[in-house]
Amino acid sequence: MLLRPTIDDLRVITYNLARMLLISAAAGLVPLVWAVLTGELAPAADFLVMVGVFSLAGTAGLALKPKHDRLDWRHGMAVVALIWLVVPIIGSIPLILSGNYARWIDAFFDAVSGLTTTGLTVVQDIDHMASSMILWRHILHFLGGQGIIIAALSLFSGAGTATLYFGEGRDDRIYPSVRSTSRFIWLVAAVNGIAGVFALFLVAFLDLGFGALRSFFHAITVFMAAFDTGGFAPQSTSIQYYHSAPYELVIAVLMIAGVMSFGVHFALWRRRSVLGNLETKTILFTFAGTLILTQIGLAVAGAYGTATGLGRQTFFQVLSAHSGTGFSTIPSAELATWGGLAFGGMAIAMALGGMASSTAGGVKALRVGLTVKSIGSQIKQVLLPEGAVISDRFRQNGPRHLTEDLKQGVMAISLLYVALYIFGAGLGLVYHVPLQNALFESVSAAANVGLSVGVTAPGMPASLELTYALQMWAGRLEFISIFALIGLLWSLVRGK
Amino acid sequence: MRPRPAPRERLYRITTGALVTIAIEFGVAILLFIGAVLIAQLVMFLAS
C-alpha cells in the first residue's frame, strides 16, 4: 500500500530543492561576471534574469522550512530527480534569450544535455555565440558532473543527506561520512582542474598561437567538458578545430581522469594498486576490444592511409565514446559513414560506458564485469558435478562476494539501459531515420555520450528531441530516483 | 581515534597523491595511444 505524502514530506523536498537552486544561482554568477568583464552586456542581462529566477525560487522554497529536516530515501530520490529537471528549465532562460536557438525546446534540450554531461547540441551558429553563453553551457557540464548534489553535501550536513549522494547513481563511499567524500571529490576536481587548465593553456598559447585570454577561455571550457565527460566544445567543429596532437593528448588524459571512479582516484592517491579490480580489468578489456573492432572496420574500408593516422583517430574517437565524453576530431558526416565493424565498435563503446561513480554514462564497466562473471558462474554450475562449490568472489577495492541480490540489481539496471537504447532507436525509425543512425544517436543520448551522426540538429522533430532529453535524464540518474519520483507522484494521487 | 595529521604532513600527502595520480593518468594515456598505433599497424598489415 502506498502512503500519501504528508505536507511535511513535501516541505522537506521543497526545502532541499531550494538549497540546490541557490547553489545554481551562485553558479550563474560566474558567466554573469564574465559577461560584464568582457563587455557582453546583453548576455549579462540574460544571466541576471536567470540568477534572479533561481534566487527567487530558492528563497521561496527556504521559507517552507519543515519542522524536521530529515531526508528519507523517498525524499532524497525525489529531490535528485526534480533538481535535474528544474535546473535545466531555469538554466535555459539565458540560452532562449540569446537568440542562438530557434525554439525554446532547443534551449531546454541543450541545458539538459549540458547538465547530464551528454554533449548533444541543437545550437545554431555556436561559432558566433557570446563567450559568456558558451561558458554557461560548460558550467552546466561542471554542475552536473561534479555536481550540484556534491556541492550541497559539502556545504550542508543534515540527517539523511546520504540519500542525495546515492540518488545520483553514486555508490563509492570513500570516507565514512558523505560530507568528507564530497570534499575529496572536489579536491580531485580542483587538482585536475589546475593541472588540466595549465596544460591546455600552454599548448594553445605556445603551439597554436592563441592569445593569452583566448587560450585561457578555451582551456577552462575544454577542461570542464573533458573532465566531466561532457562533450560541449567552444567551436562547432569540436576538437577537430585545434588540429593539434598535443592538445588531443591533454584532452585524452582528462577524459581518462574523468572516466575513473572517485574510488580509483582515492586508491591512486594512497598509492594502492587498482589493477586487480574487476572494474579496471573490464574497462581495459572492453576499450581494447572496441578499439580493435573499430580499427578493423576502418582498415577494411580503407578509410586511412597510414597506421599512425588510423591509430590516432580511433584512439581519440573510441576513448571519447567509451568515456562518454563525446568530443570528436572528425565531422559528424564522416562519422555517419563509419559502417560495419567500425560502427559496431563505436556503438558498443558508447553503450558500455565508463566506471561506476564517475561522471561517465552507460551501463558501466563494473556491471559489465559482474554480468560476465555471473554468466560464467552459471556455465560452471552446469558443467561441474552436482554439489560442487563455485566461488563467486571478485576484487573491487578489496575482496567482495557476488551475492544473488547484487546479481539481480546489476541485471535489472543493465536491462533498463538496453530497453532505453531500443526505445530511442525505435522512435528514430518512426521519423524515417535509418536504423544504424537511429541506434547510434539513441545510445549516444541514453549513455550520455554526445557523439552525433547528424540526427540531432536544429529543426529536428520536437518529440524526438524530447525523447532524447528524457533518455539523457534517465541514463544519467540510472533510473532509480526517477522511479522513486514517479512513485511519489502516484502516491499523491492514489496513496492512502 | 587516530590523531589528525599535522598541516604540513597533510599538504605533503595531498601534493604527492595528486602528482602520482596525474602521472598515472598521463602514463595510461601514452600507453593506450602507443597500443592503438601498434594495433593499427597490425590491423592494416592483415587487411592489406
Side-chain angles (χ1 to χ4, degrees), chain A residues 70-73 76-77 80 149-150 153 156-173 176-179 182:
Chain A
R70 185 179 171 79
L71 281 164
D72 64 20
W73 278 100
M77 295 284 173
V80 170
I149 304 286
I150 294 294
L153 291 171
F156 314 121
S157 58
T161 43
T163 58
L164 298 172
Y165 183 76
F166 295 113
E168 250 190 345
R170 299 176 193 266
D171 54 10
D172 263 349
R173 207 162 176 173
S177 91
V178 170
R179 199 173 186 186
S182 308

Side-chain angles (χ1 to χ4, degrees), chain A residues 320-331:
Chain A
S320 174
H322 214 318
S323 64
T325 309
F327 277 150
S328 170
T329 53
I330 56 169

Side-chain angles (χ1 to χ4, degrees), chain A residues 103 105-107 109 122 460-470:
Chain A
R103 302 170 295 183
I105 197 178
D106 293 345
F109 179 88
V122 284
M460 70 185 289
S463 55
L464 192 59
E465 200 172 351
L466 274 178
T467 305
Y468 287 163
L470 183 77

Side-chain angles (χ1 to χ4, degrees), chain A residues 52-258:
Chain A
V53 175
F54 268 132
S55 307
L56 198 67
T59 313
L62 284 189
L64 294 170
K65 188 173 183 181
K67 282 182 203 148
H68 307 287
D69 180 23
R70 185 179 171 79
L71 281 164
D72 64 20
W73 278 100
R74 196 169 47 150
H75 301 143
M77 295 284 173
V79 169
V80 170
L82 281 170
I83 196 72
W84 284 74
L85 269 187
V86 177
V87 169
I89 291 172
I90 303 176
S92 64
I93 291 173
L95 303 179
I96 296 168
L97 297 175
S98 72
N100 287 89
Y101 294 86
R103 302 170 295 183
W104 69 267
I105 197 178
D106 293 345
F108 172 70
F109 179 88
D110 259 33
V112 173
S113 178
L115 194 70
T116 55
T117 69
T118 306
L120 285 171
T121 182
V122 284
V123 67
Q124 289 180 326
D125 197 15
I126 195 171
D127 297 328
H128 295 98
M129 199 180 209
S131 64
S132 54
M133 215 55 79
I134 293 173
L135 185 63
W136 174 236
R137 294 168 86 240
H138 286 79
I139 287 172
L140 281 171
H141 272 339
F142 197 66
L143 267 180
Q146 276 321 107
I148 319 169
I149 304 286
I150 294 294
L153 291 171
S154 314
L155 296 172
F156 314 121
S157 58
T161 43
T163 58
L164 298 172
Y165 183 76
F166 295 113
E168 250 190 345
R170 299 176 193 266
D171 54 10
D172 263 349
R173 207 162 176 173
I174 297 159
Y175 286 105
S177 91
V178 170
R179 199 173 186 186
S180 309
T181 302
S182 308
R183 285 184 176 167
F184 175 75
I185 290 174
W186 278 112
L187 181 64
V188 171
V191 165
N192 278 282
I194 293 165
V197 169
F198 182 65
L200 289 169
F201 173 86
L202 274 188
V203 177
F205 190 67
L206 299 175
D207 186 39
L208 303 177
F210 286 10
L213 186 66
R214 190 163 171 231
S215 300
F216 177 71
F217 181 75
H218 279 255
I220 203 142
T221 50
V222 169
F223 161 74
M224 284 193 273
F227 182 69
D228 290 297
T229 63
F232 280 159
Q235 302 289 150
S236 58
T237 45
S238 193
I239 303 307
Q240 191 192 7
Y241 173 76
Y242 303 103
H243 279 296
S244 163
Y247 213 74
E248 285 170 30
L249 182 63
V250 177
I251 292 170
V253 174
L254 290 171
M255 290 195 285
I256 289 167

Side-chain angles (χ1 to χ4, degrees), chain A residues 130-417:
Chain A
S131 64
S132 54
M133 215 55 79
I134 293 173
L135 185 63
W136 174 236
R137 294 168 86 240
H138 286 79
I139 287 172
L140 281 171
H141 272 339
F142 197 66
L143 267 180
Q146 276 321 107
I148 319 169
I149 304 286
I150 294 294
L153 291 171
S154 314
L155 296 172
F156 314 121
S157 58
T161 43
T163 58
L164 298 172
Y165 183 76
F166 295 113
E168 250 190 345
R170 299 176 193 266
D171 54 10
D172 263 349
R173 207 162 176 173
I174 297 159
Y175 286 105
S177 91
V178 170
R179 199 173 186 186
S180 309
T181 302
S182 308
R183 285 184 176 167
F184 175 75
I185 290 174
W186 278 112
L187 181 64
V188 171
V191 165
N192 278 282
I194 293 165
V197 169
F198 182 65
L200 289 169
F201 173 86
L202 274 188
V203 177
F205 190 67
L206 299 175
D207 186 39
L208 303 177
F210 286 10
L213 186 66
R214 190 163 171 231
S215 300
F216 177 71
F217 181 75
H218 279 255
I220 203 142
T221 50
V222 169
F223 161 74
M224 284 193 273
F227 182 69
D228 290 297
T229 63
F232 280 159
Q235 302 289 150
S236 58
T237 45
S238 193
I239 303 307
Q240 191 192 7
Y241 173 76
Y242 303 103
H243 279 296
S244 163
Y247 213 74
E248 285 170 30
L249 182 63
V250 177
I251 292 170
V253 174
L254 290 171
M255 290 195 285
I256 289 167
V259 82
M260 283 170 14
S261 71
F262 288 100
V264 168
H265 278 285
F266 183 73
L268 295 180
W269 276 53
R270 294 288 168 103
R271 289 171 226 178
R272 292 182 200 144
S273 171
V274 291
L275 281 175
N277 280 358
L278 176 68
E279 193 171 33
T280 314
K281 288 192 275 190
T282 307
I283 203 164
L284 286 173
F285 182 79
T286 54
F287 176 77
T290 50
L291 179 82
I292 291 168
L293 274 182
T294 311
Q295 287 191 344
I296 292 173
L298 292 175
V300 169
Y304 292 96
T306 63
T308 314
L310 179 67
R312 178 178 161 185
Q313 291 297 348
T314 51
F315 164 72
F316 193 89
Q317 258 63 236
V318 174
L319 180 60
S320 174
H322 214 318
S323 64
T325 309
F327 277 150
S328 170
T329 53
I330 56 169
S332 291
E334 189 181 328
L335 194 59
T337 63
W338 286 18
L341 283 180
F343 160 78
M346 289 292 285
I348 294 168
M350 290 197 297
L352 297 182
M355 287 189 177
S357 295
S358 70
T359 58
V363 176
K364 307 273 164 44
L366 185 57
R367 289 199 188 99
V368 175
L370 289 174
T371 305
V372 171
K373 195 157 179 59
S374 53
I375 292 170
S377 303
Q378 295 281 333
I379 295 170
K380 273 186 200 165
Q381 217 154 31
V382 174
L383 295 177
L384 290 174
E386 209 173 314
V389 179
I390 297 160
S391 168
D392 270 343
R393 286 180 168 277
F394 66 98
R395 277 194 70 82
Q396 182 63 29
N397 301 324
R400 289 175 69 175
H401 189 69
L402 182 58
T403 60
E404 283 304 316
D405 282 350
L406 187 57
K407 277 183 199 171
Q408 283 174 10
V410 164
M411 290 290 182
I413 299 287
S414 305
L415 279 175
L416 282 169
Y417 270 108

